[in-house]
Amino acid sequence: MITLITFAPSFGQPAASPFCIKAIWLLNMSGLAWTREDTADPRSMPKQKLPAIRVNDQIIPDSENIRSYLESQGADFDAGLSDMEKSTSRAFIRMAEEHMYFHVVMDRWGDDDVWPIIRDTYFAAIPKLLRGMITNKLRKTLMRGMHAQGLGRFTPQERLDRLEADLQAITTRLWHGPFLFGDRPTAADASVAAMLANMRATPGKTLMKMRIAEDEILCRYIDRASDAMNQPVSAASATLCA
């Protein structure tokens, strides 16, 4: 049995992190049996991050490593895709996880109106008297990292302008079908839709959150993806899909 170690649900999403949601969706699509174990503290994990899976006595960290493990067990998340489509899928995954993700971080940790809600949700286990002091240090460290990364130097409007091309690329792909590569979700949807869902679920009314929430095409895509991947498929169905 596979155990997914993940952050708990928050803001109407199955987990606080888009990478944990991605792992949930990949596990559901794999057809393999699994269970979840929620934690708020990833420091004992090999990379000190979540998600991770436990298989027997082995801990496998990182959503891409989880994907690789599931594929080694027979899952085929890109069944039916051409080599060109698989290449494009890889690019979309990297766009979501190496660019769009940092926009989520800035909206949740960098916005002074949103941050108190994030702090009290993510760090509810810390006693309230200590929570502000501890999390403010964490926030300052993270924001220094975002400044070094680059997006931390942009205004919210500049960040939204930078993000727009990514959103247009996703919208263009969705003219081809209900999912990025056809009639059923693939690995790219597990990454891209999870990231968009986290953007839309961010508390408050940030520019990015409202850009997603007011886009009918993207909202319908998020809802389709959630409906399709939030439920596990049977092993027999997974074999047929492969």
Side-chain angles (χ1 to χ4, degrees):
M1 174 71 76
I2 300 169
T3 299
L4 173 66
I5 307 167
T6 176
F7 292 115
S10 68
F11 309 124
Q13 297 299 299
S17 161
F19 297 101
C20 291
I21 297 172
K22 169 190 172 183
I24 290 169
W25 288 352
L26 291 176
L27 283 161
N28 283 341
M29 287 194 290
S30 76
L32 300 173
W34 68 281
T35 187
R36 69 182 283 167
E37 177 183 308
D38 292 350
T39 180
D41 188 352
R43 288 177 295 177
S44 64
M45 295 295 102
K47 304 296 184 185
Q48 297 189 323
K49 296 175 70 175
L50 294 176
I53 57 172
R54 183 187 301 114
V55 183
N56 299 322
D57 295 327
Q58 182 184 12
I59 300 290
I60 301 172
D62 187 80
S63 65
E64 274 299 287
N65 291 340
I66 292 170
R67 175 185 173 178
S68 295
Y69 171 79
L70 296 176
E71 290 175 333
S72 76
Q73 300 303 301
D76 186 354
F77 301 112
D78 290 341
L81 270 60
S82 67
D83 288 344
M84 181 65 73
E85 287 172 325
K86 289 178 181 179
S87 298
T88 305
S89 171
R90 176 58 57 182
F92 268 80
I93 291 169
R94 287 293 169 260
M95 178 181 75
E97 297 182 1
E98 307 296 342
H99 183 238
M100 293 169 64
Y101 169 67
F102 293 109
H103 290 267
V104 177
V105 172
M106 285 302 303
D107 251 29
R108 295 192 172 196
W109 289 70
D111 189 294
D112 290 337
D113 293 327
V114 175
W115 165 245
I117 304 171
I118 297 297
R119 177 196 63 209
D120 293 340
T121 301
Y122 287 2
F123 302 102
I126 301 176
K128 196 168 184 178
L129 289 175
L130 299 175
R131 192 181 303 157
M133 178 180 65
I134 293 172
T135 58
N136 283 342
K137 291 180 180 179
L138 292 173
R139 187 189 188 202
K140 287 180 181 177
T141 299
L142 185 144
M143 292 307 295
R144 284 198 296 269
M146 289 306 305
H147 187 270
Q149 188 269 348
L151 279 183
R153 308 175 192 218
F154 289 14
T155 67
Q157 184 61 57
E158 288 171 337
R159 292 200 308 272
L160 184 63
D161 293 342
R162 176 67 63 89
L163 180 65
E164 185 60 32
D166 293 2
L167 302 180
Q168 290 299 324
I170 295 166
T171 301
T172 298
R173 282 297 319 178
L174 291 173
W175 284 111
H176 294 267
F179 299 101
L180 291 173
F181 293 94
D183 294 333
R184 64 180 186 85
T186 62
D189 296 292
S191 292
V192 173
M195 206 64 64
L196 290 170
N198 257 232
M199 290 176 170
R200 187 177 66 172
T202 294
K205 293 186 176 181
T206 67
L207 289 176
M208 183 186 72
K209 188 257 183 73
M210 299 313 297
R211 167 66 180 84
I212 306 300
E214 294 173 357
D215 188 308
E216 184 177 356
I217 292 175
L218 294 179
C219 283
R220 287 184 175 181
Y221 169 59
I222 294 167
D223 295 340
R224 278 195 305 273
S226 297
D227 289 344
M229 293 185 283
N230 270 340
Q231 300 298 321
V233 299
S234 67
S237 296
T239 302
L240 288 173
C241 288

